[in-house]
Amino acid sequence: MEGNLKQALSAWQNILGLEHVITDEASLKTTHTATFLTTQRSLAIIRPSDRAQVQECLKIANQYQIPIYPISTGKNWGYGSSVPVQDSCVIMSLARLNRIVDYNEKLAYVTVEPGVTQRQLFEYLQSQKSNLWMSVTGSTPDSSLIGNILERGLGEGLYGDRFNYVCGLEVVLPTGECIHTGFGRFADARAVRVNRWGVGPYVDGLFTQSNLGVVTQMTLWLTPIPKYFQLFWYAIDEDTRLEDLVDAVRYLKLQGLIPSAFVINNDIRMLSYQQQYPWQEAGGEKPLPLDLRHQLRKQWGGGLWGGEVALYSANQEHGEVVWKLIKETLGKVVNRLYFLDDAIAQMPKTTLTEMFPNIDTDEMLKCYNENPKRGFPTELALSMTYWRKYSPRPSSDINPDRDGCGLIWCSPAVPFEGQEVRKAVKIIEETTNAYFFEPNIGLNCITERNINITAAIVYDRQVNGEDERALACYEKMRSRLIQAGYFPYRLSTHSMQALPPAQDDYNQFLNKLKQVLDPNNILAPGRYEFYQPDNVPPL
């Protein structure tokens, strides 16, 4: 490969320029580092600036048989960062493809390239004085919009099931060919940005969680800012109420009273947003002692399980009716229920303190005014990656890879039923406790019938042995969840081959597609591949 690599690097330099073909060890180290133990090593980094350059780069990769691993901004923290699935790949960074290609206020959409970040789109909408919100994730504001959507990641607000609200993909195939999905293949089509399906087979999903193409453009649908916005918080203090809470929320979502996405967090998840592990109070004991856990929960004013939900209404009258119906249902199962709208948020601070005892009203108002459910990207959720660190977490420029934070996500999909959630949560709690980690759990209520659980294994990578223990915990948790029927909705780069064999011909089907679209197997080998290519019959 060495001779081929040298020739390929020279060819890429001719296309991209010397400064965008990177081989120095310091730069490559960033592509070797994730929030868990990795051993893969990349050969180089190439940085195309547009779709045409992406095409040329892939043609060169085919010519010299050099595998390419595309990333957007490389901040896929907890799932592999920018580390490729297999060794000896060239990283193709798409960060320079950062144009906002199209924007339509009336039809509420924006078309972007993979280098466009949450922060960039937020600032763009602000500069346009837009009446639209985007669905944001809990990741860094500097993460790629397209990168997360292609992983079928979860967002906030009405469009939290993010892949369900995109269309019009521009895709460069592994051979360098280019296709446009939906109506995009027709020169004069007017509905390219507003129609998901187009005409004929719908292929957009083939390019999510796959290695069948490089998406260089996508249209995202945005949410019109509602005339009346409400936010409410709720909490339960007894674990025995969890099933009733989940079932009550499912009822409200199926009735259409809570159409937005939100998360039911456990106390560990919320504590890790607020502070780091209390090493001194715990006397070094791990996991967090139950009595101290209860004390901290009480100190922060949270519950054992709790959530924050946004309501978007056409007017105040409509919003008040919806809130009344929600309150009637949730009030029967929760211990606390707090409500906030613009009128309450503008009350004097003394009044707010009386209305919300034991709550930091300044933090509450900041949360209300700059909430992800209002399209504001934030680093709050990322602060939990420093939970087990001994050194203080930074006040800004959060970077878990750089700072040696350990984070592994285990993300099973579970039916939206209290008993089902209980079974999965029990497995997560038992497994984390057995490996001396805290059960850091979020129940992502994105749709009406399914919950995607995000269980975070959080640790300090700079402590000897913690990497190995965290990976062992993940493997045990994943195995037990799958045995119980709860399969992951998303995989990290170290677990792409961790699923049991399919009961049908699904794997062979994928392999046939791969052989046709990528005959030289140069695009992201191993990524979401559930088969052994050498053992699958040819076409």
Side-chain angles (χ1 to χ4, degrees), residues 149-167:
I149 291 169
L150 292 180
E151 281 290 319
R152 299 202 286 273
L154 312 176
E156 301 275 8
L158 289 172
Y159 293 174
D161 187 6
R162 304 179 87 205
F163 181 62
N164 202 35
Y165 299 96
V166 303
C167 67

Side-chain angles (χ1 to χ4, degrees), residues 88-100:
S88 300
C89 289
V90 168
I91 303 297
M92 178 191 285
S93 169
L94 303 175
R96 293 177 67 212
L97 278 76
N98 60 0
R99 294 184 308 142
I100 294 175

Side-chain angles (χ1 to χ4, degrees), residues 174-204:
T175 54
E177 300 162 283
C178 180
I179 68 169
H180 295 82
T181 68
F183 285 120
R185 67 186 189 273
F186 301 112
D188 299 321
R190 303 290 293 164
V192 174
R193 312 294 193 199
V194 295
N195 184 291
R196 286 190 67 198
W197 315 114
V199 58
Y202 174 74
V203 300
D204 298 48

Side-chain angles (χ1 to χ4, degrees), residues 87-316:
D87 214 14
S88 300
C89 289
V90 168
I91 303 297
M92 178 191 285
S93 169
L94 303 175
R96 293 177 67 212
L97 278 76
N98 60 0
R99 294 184 308 142
I100 294 175
V101 177
D102 192 11
Y103 162 70
N104 190 304
E105 179 78 15
K106 290 181 180 179
L107 294 175
Y109 68 75
V110 62
T111 303
V112 300
E113 294 181 329
V116 175
T117 65
Q118 299 195 105
R119 187 192 308 275
Q120 182 181 347
L121 180 55
F122 174 77
E123 291 177 350
Y124 177 82
L125 294 175
Q126 294 280 301
S127 71
Q128 297 293 314
K129 296 181 170 46
S130 175
N131 194 44
L132 303 170
W133 287 342
M134 64 172 175
S135 173
V136 302
T137 73
S139 186
T140 169
D142 298 315
S143 61
S144 164
L145 292 159
I146 287 181
N148 177 266
I149 291 169
L150 292 180
E151 281 290 319
R152 299 202 286 273
L154 312 176
E156 301 275 8
L158 289 172
Y159 293 174
D161 187 6
R162 304 179 87 205
F163 181 62
N164 202 35
Y165 299 96
V166 303
C167 67
L169 277 60
E170 177 183 82
V171 185
V172 177
L173 300 179
T175 54
E177 300 162 283
C178 180
I179 68 169
H180 295 82
T181 68
F183 285 120
R185 67 186 189 273
F186 301 112
D188 299 321
R190 303 290 293 164
V192 174
R193 312 294 193 199
V194 295
N195 184 291
R196 286 190 67 198
W197 315 114
V199 58
Y202 174 74
V203 300
D204 298 48
L206 290 175
F207 305 106
T208 67
Q209 294 190 357
S210 81
N211 58 3
L212 300 178
V214 179
V215 176
T216 52
Q217 196 175 114
M218 176 188 290
T219 294
L220 286 60
W221 294 342
L222 305 173
T223 305
I225 296 177
K227 298 295 183 183
Y228 183 57
F229 177 79
Q230 305 166 86
L231 204 63
F232 70 89
W233 296 265
Y234 61 87
I236 59 173
D237 295 326
E238 300 86 23
D239 194 46
T240 53
R241 293 193 180 198
L242 178 60
E243 288 92 334
D244 290 340
L245 173 59
V246 169
D247 291 337
V249 171
R250 183 192 70 246
Y251 168 80
L252 292 170
K253 288 190 71 67
L254 282 170
Q255 293 296 316
L257 294 172
I258 304 181
S260 60
F262 66 98
V263 186
I264 303 173
N265 288 315
N266 77 341
D267 57 340
I268 294 296
R269 175 70 57 88
M270 295 308 299
L271 284 172
S272 67
Y273 290 171
Q274 304 288 344
Q275 67 170 74
Q276 291 177 264
Y277 194 90
W279 294 109
Q280 185 172 352
E281 296 94 320
E285 183 179 344
K286 297 181 292 187
L288 190 67
L290 290 178
D291 58 343
L292 181 55
R293 179 173 167 179
H294 175 77
Q295 177 185 328
L296 292 173
R297 185 166 69 237
K298 188 175 181 180
Q299 175 183 326
W300 288 109
L304 189 59
W305 293 92
E308 171 192 282
V309 182
L311 301 178
Y312 309 86
S313 305
N315 55 44
Q316 184 171 345

Side-chain angles (χ1 to χ4, degrees), residues 310-325:
L311 301 178
Y312 309 86
S313 305
N315 55 44
Q316 184 171 345
E317 183 180 11
H318 172 221
E320 288 176 350
V321 170
V322 170
W323 168 240
K324 180 176 181 294
L325 294 171

